[in-house]
Amino acid sequence: MTPHNELRLLPWSGPDGKPCFLSAGTSDGYLSRLADRSEAAQLALGTELLKHALDLLADEEAEPDELRTLATDLTRALRDAVRVATSRGHRLPIPAHSPHEAADHIEDPSPA
């Protein structure tokens, strides 16, 4: 596998709402560690929000305003989780061969 040398998508947006990226040779710099901690906090918050959502949705007496607030909070948490997943996916090593190329080299063991 070869390393994937791309800019790192950071877990926050710039002042104009556009994505922020980090160009760093290593993952142990200050901003990389800050981004790691921010991602962990965002995912932990999403986990807690999911637990709250399950409880609130099970409550048949939940008010529409509570559900609307929940939907807004879940949307933000999902946006954060997608950004974390995208960032981490871009940093995965690129396989030397694609899965399709590897499958082309496998011989069929069944008799002809």
Side-chain angles (χ1 to χ4, degrees):
M1 290 195 174
T2 59
H4 201 298
N5 294 322
E6 293 245 350
L7 297 174
R8 177 180 180 171
L9 175 64
L10 294 173
W12 53 78
S13 298
D16 55 0
K18 292 184 180 176
C20 290
F21 295 90
L22 174 64
S23 175
T26 65
S27 61
D28 61 350
Y30 174 77
L31 280 178
S32 290
R33 291 190 315 272
L34 180 61
D36 290 342
R37 286 192 302 272
S38 294
E39 287 178 353
Q42 288 171 333
L43 294 175
L45 181 61
T47 300
E48 290 301 315
L49 186 56
L50 180 58
K51 292 175 188 174
H52 172 65
L54 293 170
D55 291 342
L56 188 60
L57 291 172
D59 181 2
E60 293 180 10
E61 296 179 16
E63 296 292 325
D65 285 345
E66 290 177 297
L67 295 172
R68 189 173 297 108
T69 299
L70 174 64
T72 301
D73 293 344
L74 286 170
T75 301
R76 288 183 185 131
L78 179 58
R79 180 203 57 216
D80 292 343
V82 167
R83 183 185 299 252
V84 169
T86 300
S87 177
R88 291 180 181 182
H90 283 201
R91 289 181 280 140
L92 291 174
I94 300 172
H97 296 92
S98 74
H100 299 292
E101 289 174 356
D104 292 341
H105 299 291
I106 299 174
E107 293 182 25
D108 185 2
S110 60

